[in-house]
Amino acid sequence: MPANYKFFNRELSWIEFNARVLNEACRKEVPLLERLAFLGITSTNFEEFFQVRVASIKRQKEEDPHFIDSSGFTPSQLLKQISKRCHEIVKLQYETLCNDILPKLTAKGIAYIPPEKLSAEQKSFTQNYFLHDISPVLTPQRADGIVFPSIRGGSLYAAFILVPMPGIHLKQTPLSAAIDSDYTLALVQIPSNLPRIIQLPEASSPMQKQFATLDDIIALYGRELFPGYNAKETLLFKVDRDADLAVDEDATSNYIQAMEKVLEKRQNSFAVRMVCNSTSAKIRSIIQEKLNLPDDDVYQVDGLFDPETLMQIAPLAEGLPTAKELTYPEWKHFFPQDLPEEDTFWNTFRQHDVLLNVPYQSYDPVVKFIRDAAKDPGVLAIKITLYRTGNDSPIISALEAAAQSGKAVTAFVELKARFDEQRNITWASQLEKAGVTVIYGVVNLKVHAKICLVIRRESDGIRRYIHLSTGNYNPKTACHYQDFSIFTSNYEIANDATLFFNVISGYSAIQPMHHLFMAPVTLKSRLIEMIDREIRQSTHDSPGLIVAKMNSLCHTQIIEKLYQASQAGVKIMLNVRGICTLIPGVEGMSKNISVVSIVDRNLEHSRAFYFQNGGNEELYLSSADWMDRNLDRRIELMFPVRDQEVFKQLKDMLFLYFRDNTHSLTLQSDGSWKEKSPSAREAAIRVQEEFHTRYKRLAEQVKSPKTEFIIRRKD
């Protein structure tokens, strides 16, 4: 970081987050398949980072090369820093995979067999498998000096330098300065719809499973695709292309059609990065030249390529005596003890709010809430915002059923959810066919709020039930993402929810909401107002207190206000999973601010904000991180925790995050992260395990038979 700047760089901070993810893969105590999963997450994270963030910086470098960001970097300087650190992390990632995890997996009974170590029987098996199951699906493409095939972003390729067999004379077209005219280059796109993990014939021991990869087999036998040629050299590679493309919403009348064109452009936009193995310097040079990529943007790795899909080996563990050692012990998702599993929830929600903490508690109540609303004859209407719902969603099915039964169902579908656009277009059309009123977001703003409103006719009139969440309506991610949500029938919240839906449907001008705070209208100003209030109320004897948990913090205006609060003596405790551009612990600026980050088996995704407020405590949950995009360019919601019991539970859980000393790291003022560990006199606290234990204990208390005392009486 350049001197005299008050902010860490956003991109470099994100890279350090991915380093913390990789750190989980490096931890010896983590089960091997879980370590492998963290390696895959590291790769997936990097792909999106290069496609979006690095692509944006490269574009900025061309448009405004002298621009200096809030951390003091020009685009060129930043790209150099990004490349340097990413190369370090990728190197460690592959060293961990090849030198640590794979050998230990072999010892546990799952062995990767590289092409050069295949036995005679395995060579026969893999060659036969290639000829009958793989090669019919492949389409080899010649890449000569006249026509070079399109390389799709995100796809894995095998490239071959071909030389004619002795006695065969074919006219060659020079490829480039990298190789001479005696060679021909060919590319084969490796199909993503074929299994990448190929189990090999039974190993010498029945207690061991062996596997090869689809790409290894294609690289080994690819010469079979080119009669008359020998494959002299091969290379496996993958290219990340610019995905930071958007629809000009002010200039199009058919948004879906325009979005589909953008998705097509992503496949052949400019190349940002290439990852390849080290088997052919010649082929690497050719591809690099064709893609116009400098050396800094080429990531050459040794050993097993592309760890992203290696979790497909998990089924191989079945039947092995070591199977249970390879994954985390199962953590059951417990049904909330204050909700009836069989009956509807309406009566419960009329009496009090209900907090849901997934994945420790089951996501089933959310699905049941919407399903019950779909079936209930008293329900008149359902309104919901949908950002990422996943495939085969029971929520989508429930909304379809509700519309088909005559209920007024409105779904606000965000088509701009990056990398989920095509999926969202598909099921939005499906909803429309079922009779749901589908509104495709808001022009130039992403609808990222998570809210569902159910309107029900009851004996005493119309009542509204609301579900507000920090996470998406996605039952699959709810099994691994930590999120808070609240069910309520609070009249004031219901009024604001109604206003919110009217605003984003376009039928109402923005009206003041008194309990829900919406970005980009009132959410940021409310946060600033509450920080200012802590500043005013803070004294030497009774300092203010702000405790916040979020995914990312990089909004300069909010950070400046936190610096101001720190200088006024306010204690600020931040739990930031990912990006944090705030610099903590600096005398005269941020001495009273501490930042921790927790990376563990579940993804920390919730946003919770606590303000001491001179003893009149306030606690909020939100869909929004403290980022420019969330507070200024998205439709988000922040909602208060009003129920006293829910408030007590949430405050306790929020503060518990800062006691974790096994999976928590503390941000230092130089940008490094220091791992926490329990001292000799401290008990080890793993907050995620603590939550699981708490909910397990509650579930067991509900199931345990009640003790009945029989009183003897004189007749």
Side-chain angles (χ1 to χ4, degrees):
M1 181 183 67
N4 302 320
Y5 278 85
K6 297 190 293 184
F7 307 99
F8 291 129
N9 178 267
R10 181 193 194 280
E11 320 309 339
L12 298 180
S13 178
W14 181 91
I15 292 171
E16 294 311 312
F17 157 65
N18 213 28
R20 297 196 295 279
V21 174
L22 178 58
N23 183 61
E24 287 298 297
C26 296
R27 294 174 70 127
K28 308 298 183 183
E29 71 274 18
V30 174
L32 288 170
L33 289 182
E34 307 296 349
R35 294 177 66 188
L36 198 59
F38 281 113
L39 286 182
I41 294 168
T42 303
S43 290
T44 304
N45 286 349
F46 266 142
E47 286 180 8
E48 183 171 339
F49 174 71
F50 277 91
Q51 290 173 52
V52 178
R53 301 304 306 178
V54 176
S56 176
I57 299 166
K58 283 177 171 282
R59 200 179 300 109
Q60 186 179 59
K61 178 185 174 183
E62 297 301 316
E63 297 170 356
D64 188 3
H66 302 296
F67 172 80
I68 298 177
D69 66 22
S70 61
S71 60
F73 288 104
T74 65
S76 293
Q77 290 171 334
L78 182 54
L79 288 170
K80 282 287 185 185
Q81 292 292 317
I82 288 171
S83 176
K84 179 177 182 293
R85 185 65 176 124
C86 288
H87 273 92
E88 292 171 352
I89 294 173
V90 170
K91 181 181 178 183
L92 176 59
Q93 179 188 17
Y94 277 84
E95 286 176 350
T96 302
L97 173 64
C98 298
N99 301 334
D100 186 6
I101 295 177
L102 288 178
K104 288 179 178 176
L105 274 173
T106 299
K108 295 293 183 181
I110 301 178
Y112 164 62
I113 308 299
E116 66 274 12
K117 292 188 177 180
L118 291 171
S119 67
E121 180 188 0
Q122 289 169 339
K123 283 182 179 178
S124 175
F125 169 81
T126 52
Q127 186 170 25
N128 185 65
Y129 185 82
F130 174 82
L131 292 173
H132 292 91
D133 294 80
I134 300 176
S135 64
V137 186
L138 303 180
T139 304
Q141 295 178 281
R142 177 170 171 163
D144 58 27
I146 300 171
V147 179
F148 198 86
S150 172
I151 297 173
R152 294 173 66 86
S155 293
L156 189 59
Y157 284 82
F160 302 87
I161 285 181
L162 305 173
V163 59
M165 290 180 176
I168 296 179
H169 301 284
L170 298 168
K171 184 179 179 181
Q172 308 297 317
T173 304
L175 288 162
S176 70
I179 62 175
D180 59 43
S181 59
D182 290 335
Y183 302 126
T184 294
L185 181 70
L187 303 183
V188 177
Q189 184 178 348
I190 296 176
S192 60
N193 59 351
L194 292 180
R196 182 156 185 256
I197 301 301
I198 313 299
Q199 185 172 351
L200 297 172
E202 203 66 47
S204 57
S205 168
M207 291 296 99
Q208 187 179 69
K209 307 284 183 66
Q210 296 183 341
F211 72 93
T213 65
L214 175 67
D215 32 288
D216 278 347
I217 294 175
I218 291 174
L220 182 61
Y221 301 111
R223 65 180 182 275
E224 306 280 355
L225 299 168
F226 311 103
Y229 289 90
N230 285 322
K232 185 175 182 179
E233 296 182 23
T234 63
L235 185 82
L236 294 170
F237 72 94
K238 179 187 276 192
V239 175
D240 293 323
R241 293 186 176 274
D242 172 27
D244 191 30
L245 304 171
V247 173
D248 183 352
E249 298 182 56
D250 295 319
T252 182
S253 57
N254 190 327
Y255 182 79
I256 293 180
Q257 189 177 70
M259 176 61 74
E260 288 174 335
K261 288 182 179 179
V262 164
L263 298 181
E264 291 174 11
K265 288 180 181 178
R266 277 186 190 169
Q267 298 300 327
N268 296 291
S269 55
F270 73 84
V272 182
R273 178 181 75 143
M274 178 170 77
V275 182
C276 63
N277 64 6
S278 57
T279 54
S280 174
K282 284 184 179 180
I283 300 178
R284 167 188 159 165
S285 181
I286 297 166
I287 304 296
Q288 191 176 337
E289 178 188 315
K290 293 295 182 182
L291 296 175
N292 194 29
L293 284 172
D295 288 342
D296 281 353
D297 294 327
V298 177
Y299 290 73
Q300 184 171 291
V301 299
D302 292 315
L304 185 56
F305 191 72
D306 193 26
E308 186 178 339
T309 56
L310 286 184
M311 276 306 291
Q312 292 179 19
I313 71 171
L316 298 183
E318 294 178 10
L320 292 177
T322 58
K324 289 186 177 180
E325 303 171 25
L326 299 177
T327 58
Y328 288 128
E330 182 184 3
W331 282 359
K332 186 178 178 181
H333 314 297
F334 300 103
F335 200 89
Q337 75 278 6
D338 49 356
L339 285 177
E341 292 194 49
E342 304 300 328
D343 201 1
T344 59
F345 299 153
W346 315 123
N347 186 53
T348 302
F349 296 159
R350 282 195 296 269
Q351 297 175 53
H352 58 82
D353 295 355
V354 173
L355 171 70
L356 196 64
N357 181 7
V358 297
Y360 312 103
Q361 291 180 294
S362 169
Y363 195 72
D364 289 350
V366 178
V367 176
K368 188 176 186 303
F369 172 65
I370 299 172
R371 279 178 171 165
D372 286 350
K375 294 184 291 186
D376 193 321
V379 170
L380 305 175
I382 303 171
K383 300 182 181 184
I384 191 171
T385 58
L386 298 172
Y387 191 72
R388 300 186 196 274
T389 64
N391 294 321
D392 303 319
S393 170
I395 290 175
I396 299 299
S397 300
L399 295 173
E400 291 174 332
Q404 289 165 349
S405 68
K407 302 183 193 310
V409 182
T410 305
F412 295 79
V413 179
E414 185 46 78
L415 297 185
K416 297 187 286 288
R418 199 186 305 272
F419 303 117
D420 272 348
E421 297 97 339
Q422 189 59 60
R423 179 186 299 160
N424 288 8
I425 288 171
T426 300
W427 56 250
S429 174
Q430 181 181 323
L431 285 170
E432 281 188 316
K433 289 178 182 177
V436 175
T437 299
V438 177
I439 298 177
Y440 295 98
V442 176
V443 175
N444 294 321
L445 295 170
K446 283 187 180 181
V447 178
H448 193 249
K450 328 293 184 184
I451 181 172
C452 179
L453 173 64
V454 172
I455 298 95
R456 187 172 187 260
R457 178 182 286 119
E458 299 182 355
S459 59
D460 56 350
I462 298 295
R463 187 180 289 270
R464 291 163 293 184
Y465 298 89
I466 309 96
H467 176 255
L468 289 152
S469 180
T470 66
N472 296 311
Y473 286 102
N474 188 326
K476 292 183 180 178
T477 57
C479 293
H480 307 286
Y481 286 24
Q482 188 282 319
D483 275 300
F484 293 121
S485 64
I486 290 177
F487 296 97
T488 184
S489 65
N490 179 279
Y491 180 79
E492 294 170 325
I493 298 294
N495 280 344
D496 278 1
T498 301
L499 290 173
F500 170 77
F501 278 112
N502 288 345
V503 167
I504 66 171
S505 68
Y507 298 121
S508 172
I510 294 176
Q511 300 180 44
M513 294 184 287
H514 302 289
H515 305 280
L516 299 183
F517 299 92
M518 183 178 78
V521 185
T522 58
L523 203 163
K524 181 175 70 176
S525 59
R526 177 59 176 169
L527 287 172
I528 291 172
E529 175 188 319
M530 291 189 291
I531 297 171
D532 278 332
R533 187 179 62 192
E534 291 298 317
I535 293 172
R536 290 194 305 270
Q537 295 178 344
S538 184
T539 66
H540 178 75
D541 295 328
S542 181
L545 177 62
I546 299 171
V547 183
K549 178 181 184 295
M550 65 198 77
N551 298 319
S552 296
L553 168 60
C554 58
H555 196 292
T556 56
Q557 190 177 356
I558 296 292
I559 292 173
E560 290 276 18
K561 188 59 65 174
L562 292 174
Y563 287 159
Q564 185 182 343
S566 173
Q567 293 159 31
V570 178
K571 183 179 181 182
I572 301 168
M573 300 162 59
L574 302 174
N575 180 334
V576 184
R577 186 196 81 214
I579 300 165
C580 181
T581 60
L582 177 148
I583 305 175
V586 177
E587 191 71 38
M589 183 175 77
S590 57
K591 180 182 177 181
N592 293 313
I593 304 177
S594 62
V595 181
V596 301
S597 177
I598 292 175
V599 180
D600 200 347
R601 63 182 287 177
N602 294 321
L603 180 78
E604 292 295 337
H605 191 253
S606 60
R607 296 94 168 180
F609 317 134
Y610 167 88
F611 297 87
Q612 185 172 264
N613 189 24
N616 296 316
E617 304 167 300
E618 292 185 5
L619 182 55
Y620 295 83
L621 296 176
S622 181
S623 60
D625 292 310
W626 292 356
M627 305 177 72
D628 297 66
R629 71 182 188 188
N630 297 90
L631 301 184
D632 299 327
R633 300 191 298 275
R634 287 184 175 183
I635 303 291
E636 304 271 13
L637 281 175
M638 181 173 73
F639 48 98
V641 179
R642 304 285 297 272
D643 185 285
Q644 290 186 0
E645 182 57 32
V646 172
F647 188 105
K648 180 181 176 183
Q649 294 175 37
L650 263 174
K651 180 185 173 184
D652 174 65
M653 287 188 281
L654 177 60
F655 278 68
L656 182 63
Y657 274 104
F658 295 88
R659 295 177 55 204
D660 188 296
N661 55 20
T662 61
H663 286 71
S664 180
L665 298 93
T666 303
L667 179 60
Q668 309 298 300
S669 57
D670 63 357
S672 63
W673 290 84
K674 183 178 179 181
E675 286 191 65
K676 282 188 179 182
S677 57
S679 67
R681 286 182 279 181
E682 282 183 319
I685 298 176
R686 181 185 179 191
V687 66
Q688 293 193 357
E689 189 171 44
E690 174 67 21
F691 285 157
H692 168 73
T693 301
R694 288 185 181 188
Y695 289 110
K696 180 181 179 182
R697 190 182 303 124
L698 285 171
E700 289 170 349
Q701 289 173 358
V702 171
K703 290 181 179 179
S704 61
K706 295 181 180 179
T707 302
E708 182 178 355
F709 295 95
I710 301 174
I711 308 299
R712 295 186 182 275
R713 291 185 176 87
K714 185 178 180 180
D715 294 336

